[in-house]
Amino acid sequence: MRMPQAVKDELLMPDKHPAELWERLEPFRALMMEYQCAIMEVETKLRVLNAEFSVQYDRNPFESIKSRLKSPQSILEKLHRKNLPLTLSSIQNELADVAGVRVICSFPEDIYALAEMLLAQDDIFLVERKDYIANPKPNGYRSLHLIVDIPIFLSQEKKRVRVEVQFRTIAMDFWASLEHKLKYKKDVRDAERIAARLRDCAEQSAQMDAEMQKIRHLIEWGHE
Ligand code: 0O2
């Protein structure tokens, strides 16, 4: 018999179970399993597209995929930050990035081509699109984020599960991992000056991405 949502939610109330115990609770583990399955589904779809491309066009639209399930601690912190109740419903309804798939491409145009191919599939439902490449964040952050719902097929039911798919170039990923260090390190000396230098780096690497893409066109088509 399946557990009603209210009972599942009750099991996650923090006064009864501190955060570090979440991952031992069956309803929480079941929810995380669903997110993990959704990650596998998205990864498979992307790998299928990559395989087809390498046969048809002799190139790969992405270089690598990195996936992650948000840790219970990060989930708890985000719920706290957003002033949300610490329940399974909050996780499912309010957090879009519990399941995260990051796709690293060589060229910006591959990002958009791949994103469109994924969204064209009839079992993928687009919830939200955040284009931080066309509209970079003030700190210089660039990536295309798609929040999607994807079905997973369990023994007793089919469920729609939310996944955040981030698309970036190698250069954007390199930049984001350095900037991430600044964001999460406390007491950094000269943080403002470092942030300004990072903004410059983001600008320069975006120019390099654009230039490398033009060079690819010259090599492949003979014109930009
Ligand atoms: P981690 O460690 O990757 O899990 P919202 O849900 O709309 O209220 P949120 O969640 O900030 O706001 O959404 P957004 O802007 O789409 O960002 C989600 C994720 O994108 C982040 O997850 C990062 O992975 C990445 N990201 C967004 N902005 C930045 C940035 O300025 N720098 C870097 N390095 N990454 C960024 P988490 O949970 O913050 O981190």
Side-chain angles (χ1 to χ4, degrees):
M1 196 181 74
R2 243 176 282 133
M3 198 179 296
Q5 189 65 43
V7 178
K8 285 186 181 178
D9 276 348
E10 182 68 12
L11 279 169
L12 277 186
M13 294 309 284
D15 50 338
K16 294 190 181 139
H17 299 287
E20 59 271 20
L21 293 186
W22 279 19
E23 48 197 326
R24 292 201 217 141
L25 296 173
E26 193 276 335
F28 182 75
R29 283 176 39 225
L31 182 61
M32 291 302 113
M33 175 275 295
E34 290 169 9
Y35 282 118
Q36 190 61 60
C37 294
I39 286 176
M40 290 192 275
E41 293 284 354
V42 172
E43 278 194 6
T44 301
K45 283 177 177 295
L46 290 162
R47 291 190 199 288
V48 166
L49 291 170
N50 218 27
E52 184 197 3
F53 254 67
S54 43
V55 171
Q56 283 201 344
Y57 307 106
D58 204 21
R59 72 184 182 86
N60 295 322
F62 65 82
E63 288 292 323
S64 60
I65 301 181
K66 303 176 200 168
S67 298
R68 70 104 181 89
L69 203 52
K70 215 174 182 65
S71 69
Q73 193 55 40
S74 307
I75 292 174
L76 181 69
E77 281 163 14
K78 196 156 190 175
L79 291 176
H80 270 309
R81 205 165 58 240
K82 293 185 159 211
N83 247 332
L84 291 164
L86 309 179
T87 62
L88 288 185
S89 304
S90 293
I91 297 173
Q92 283 172 292
N93 302 330
E94 308 293 341
L95 302 190
D97 65 340
V98 177
V101 176
R102 190 169 287 160
V103 190
I104 316 294
C105 300
S106 295
F107 300 99
E109 63 192 4
D110 289 341
I111 289 176
Y112 290 105
L114 206 50
E116 291 320 314
M117 284 186 273
L118 188 66
L119 292 176
Q121 300 192 3
D122 61 12
D123 54 353
I124 287 251
F125 177 75
L126 178 65
V127 177
E128 193 179 355
R129 179 190 185 105
K130 299 183 195 174
D131 191 344
Y132 298 124
I133 299 176
N135 307 295
K137 287 197 171 181
N139 62 358
Y141 178 76
R142 287 169 170 78
S143 282
L144 174 68
H145 293 189
L146 301 181
I147 316 278
V148 297
D149 280 350
I150 184 165
I152 60 163
F153 296 85
L154 301 170
S155 60
Q156 305 292 322
E157 61 182 330
K158 169 182 163 184
K159 289 192 82 170
R160 292 204 149 268
V161 180
R162 195 146 295 178
V163 180
E164 182 184 74
V165 193
Q166 299 181 348
F167 296 85
R168 318 173 159 165
T169 61
I170 298 167
M172 291 170 198
D173 189 50
F174 186 27
W175 182 93
S177 54
L178 186 57
E179 195 271 347
H180 196 265
K181 287 195 172 69
L182 175 67
K183 204 175 241 167
Y184 288 95
K185 194 159 189 284
K186 290 190 185 87
D187 306 323
V188 179
R189 268 177 44 204
D190 278 340
E192 270 183 31
R193 212 160 53 89
I194 294 174
R197 286 177 73 170
L198 273 168
R199 268 196 302 278
D200 284 349
C201 267
E203 207 50 56
Q204 287 165 24
S205 60
Q207 282 170 17
M208 189 187 72
D209 271 345
E211 179 63 7
M212 301 253 275
Q213 187 166 282
K214 284 181 192 161
I215 294 171
R216 166 162 99 167
H217 293 168
L218 282 173
I219 294 169
E220 287 184 1
W221 311 333
H223 62 84
E224 289 183 16

